[in-house]
Amino acid sequence: MYVTCAVLLGFLLDWIFGDPQKLPHPICAVGKLVSLSEKLLRRIFPKTPRGLTAAGVFLWVIVCGVSFAVPFFLLRWLRGVHFWLGFGVEALLCWTLFARKSLADAGVHVYSALDESLDAGRKAVAMYVGRDTGALDKEGVIKAAVETVAENTTDGVVSPMIFMLIGGAPLGFLYKAVNTLDSMVGYHNDKYEYLGKFSARMDDVFNFIPARLTAACMIAGAGMLHLDNRNALRIYRRDRNGHKSPNAGQTESVCAGALHVQLGGDASYFGKTVKKAAFGDPDREINRGDILRSIDLMTAASVLALVLCAVIRLTVDWPPFG
């Protein structure tokens, strides 16, 4: 009950306030730890494929170990001082791990910017995606925004939720460390091909079950929102494994099917065109309102996942770490 209540309160705080803008965000500290550890390990290990791969394993162990240990021992000490002090801090930490409102705000930002001009829309979406946005047409900007909302429903909301409900804020921070490592070093380029390989693989492992749960909740949510949940299920079955990532295609395919649009396809990164699979059928032209519909779908899936996972947690009622 303790962990479930802390996670529910954290979800509610995120729903109302989003990321606490005036407070230092713990994930920024995780990012700094990644950067410092990377610099140190590059000096220690030889710059060979085997050496960099080993360095990548040590990088993952250090960052994830520290990210788990710090909140674990902090909360253990605070609960020893006073139960409600520990509970309050745990709820606040859970709050910082959710990104539902931030994700919704990002979509609304692009939606509003497109109402101003195409150039404003390109600049807005560039804040949230890694692809080149300077040459995107209006359809490309909308697709990028919808894909971002759909894909990040897993790692921004449902995955941290699941890990927090299993092991409280400490396990939630371990998950966010895994996700941060992937976003910082999990690239297929000359710099990170070997150093980031282990981090990228572990991100796939940690998100494997949450991505599929998110997709299932999205399909159910589509029906609640009077979108086409049958087509969402059909496209999910057909296209979910088309993405290079074993997880990203799960939610993108559902979103494409529910909206009757086509997502994905080739995209430009750092001036190079990258071949990517398409999800869904071009039954109609995508429009600006689809950004808001994708946000609604993300929110519905998040709430359904929270209810489902909280019920399971309360039924099993295993103790939190610490």
Side-chain angles (χ1 to χ4, degrees), residues 240-320:
R240 68 185 185 275
N241 295 320
H243 203 286
K244 288 183 179 179
S245 162
N247 301 318
Q250 306 294 316
T251 49
E252 282 191 46
S253 59
V254 172
C255 189
L259 299 178
H260 277 275
V261 298
Q262 190 171 72
L263 300 175
D266 298 348
S268 176
Y269 293 85
F270 307 106
K272 296 182 179 180
T273 300
V274 177
K275 296 290 184 181
K276 299 176 70 176
F279 300 96
D281 301 316
D283 297 331
R284 63 177 181 83
E285 186 176 335
I286 197 167
N287 61 65
R288 198 164 62 101
D290 289 317
I291 299 176
L292 300 184
R293 282 183 278 274
S294 69
I295 294 172
D296 290 341
L297 194 56
M298 177 269 294
T299 299
S302 300
V303 172
L304 286 171
L306 180 63
V307 171
L308 176 62
C309 293
V311 168
I312 294 173
R313 167 76 210 206
L314 290 171
T315 302
V316 178
D317 197 27
W318 61 83

Side-chain angles (χ1 to χ4, degrees), residues 112-122:
S112 301
L114 277 171
D115 191 40
E116 180 183 334
S117 69
L118 175 57
D119 188 53
R122 288 169 176 164

Side-chain angles (χ1 to χ4, degrees), residues 154-184:
T154 299
D155 54 20
V157 187
V158 179
S159 281
M161 175 196 302
I162 290 173
F163 285 99
M164 282 188 282
L165 283 169
I166 293 173
L171 200 62
F173 270 93
L174 188 151
Y175 167 75
K176 290 303 272 189
V178 171
N179 192 240
T180 302
L181 278 161
D182 179 62
S183 67
M184 292 183 68

Side-chain angles (χ1 to χ4, degrees), residues 175-239:
Y175 167 75
K176 290 303 272 189
V178 171
N179 192 240
T180 302
L181 278 161
D182 179 62
S183 67
M184 292 183 68
V185 305
Y187 295 103
H188 292 291
N189 56 28
D190 293 339
K191 185 177 182 180
Y192 291 116
E193 179 65 34
Y194 298 104
L195 183 77
K197 183 181 295 185
F198 188 77
S199 291
R201 293 282 174 82
M202 291 308 295
D203 185 74
D204 290 341
V205 170
F206 272 66
N207 280 308
F208 189 86
I209 293 175
R212 285 146 185 83
L213 175 63
T214 306
C217 290
M218 270 193 171
I219 293 169
M224 294 170 58
L225 296 169
H226 304 293
L227 298 173
D228 195 340
N229 60 330
R230 290 186 178 182
N231 195 56
L233 178 60
R234 183 180 70 85
I235 297 299
Y236 170 74
R237 288 174 170 171
R238 190 189 74 185
D239 296 347

